[in-house]
Amino acid sequence: MAQRHPDPPAPSTPARTPDDALTVYLRAQSTEFLRALRLHGEAPAESTRALRRAARRLTAILHTYRPLLNPAWSDQLHPELAWLSGTLGAEHTYEARLTRLLGALARLSDPAYATVSGPRADPTPRTGSGAPAATVHLGATKAAALLERQLTLARTRAHSTALQALGSARFHAVADKVALLASDVPLTTTPDGTDLRSLAAAAEERLTDAVAALPVLPPGHPCTTEPPPQGLSDTPWHQVRLLLRLHRYAQEVLDSDGDGSPHPRLRTAALALNRHRDAAEAAGAAAQAARTPRIAPATAYTLGVLHADQRHEVEACRFAFQQAWRQRPVAPAPH
């Protein structure tokens, strides 16, 4: 009787390693980049947004996970992707800033808003005749025209710069390097056993330390009618915003088997810091416009009120961020 041999075991799928997760993520972003590039002739605006989104993520990943990648390759590509992301985003930034400022001007010059909102709309003490509100209303049209002229010019220049960048040899060199990621991710090994999770944890620790160093805002601060605290620089908040982005993208790599959605707490915190940046930069644009030579006093006054309004928004966004950050993730209920 012939001896019966056991059936051979079914081939098993190799266990996925952390390096695999990084490879999968970089290849996915490379694919998104190339897909956006092919779309440029049909939908340039959509293509530019997608190119910038992929470039921003690739830049962050090359920064956070640099020890796991070929250093010469990473150090060469990282600044080029950062250049591309910044160049492609400038036009949208100016457009959004103009929209924000014109909307705020319309709100501030509305008599109904001035009556209801009081100190936020107009930090200057009111006379019995309501002169400050009338001055804002009088200067709003010329202030809007001045802002539109300045920011439209900046947006047009940014658009031309982006078009030149997309047609340059520099951009095509970047695109060629990104395209190679689809087939060859230049990974390396570290002698100390550094891995994805330890690097992601380091990114989170840098973020946590930066948040802890922020000034603590007074309770109920945005709701008060007092002027905001003086001397609080925007720079630490902008730095936290960048560190939060690095943390979120680092988590995307670790969670690449999921849907890639950040925790609601992180998403809310990121949105607050994005609004903080927008309001701070809009306040700067209003202040710059107010320094334009030979503008009418009513126009300068209105731009000053607009600046104060945006700075108040900055303080409100800081408060919103700290409120979101204090909401710790809820642990799942035991089964």
Side-chain angles (χ1 to χ4, degrees), residues 62-78:
L62 295 187
H63 174 82
T64 301
Y65 295 119
R66 180 183 180 277
L68 301 180
L69 298 163
N70 179 285
W73 172 86
S74 180
D75 291 347
Q76 184 181 39
L77 183 56
H78 179 275

Side-chain angles (χ1 to χ4, degrees), residues 33 51-63 73-90 165 170-171 174-175 178 242 245-246:
F33 186 98
L51 279 171
R52 185 184 176 220
R53 186 166 55 246
R56 192 169 58 228
R57 279 172 164 76
L58 287 169
T59 303
I61 297 311
L62 295 187
H63 174 82
W73 172 86
S74 180
D75 291 347
Q76 184 181 39
L77 183 56
H78 179 275
E80 295 301 286
L81 287 168
W83 158 77
L84 180 62
S85 176
T87 301
L88 297 183
R170 184 179 182 181
F171 169 74
V174 174
V178 172
L242 295 177
R245 175 189 291 174
L246 290 175

Side-chain angles (χ1 to χ4, degrees), residues 122-196:
D122 184 359
T124 305
R126 236 176 277 273
T127 64
S129 62
T135 304
V136 171
H137 184 74
L138 181 65
T141 301
K142 289 186 177 181
L146 177 59
L147 288 168
E148 189 158 11
R149 184 165 64 251
Q150 292 182 346
L151 291 173
T152 298
L153 177 61
R155 183 184 63 187
T156 301
R157 288 174 176 168
H159 178 74
S160 298
T161 300
L163 288 180
Q164 291 172 5
L166 290 173
S168 68
R170 184 179 182 181
F171 169 74
H172 288 292
V174 174
D176 288 344
K177 288 183 176 67
V178 172
L180 290 177
L181 283 174
S183 58
D184 181 24
V185 176
L187 299 175
T188 189
T189 56
T190 58
D192 59 356
T194 301
D195 60 9
L196 281 177

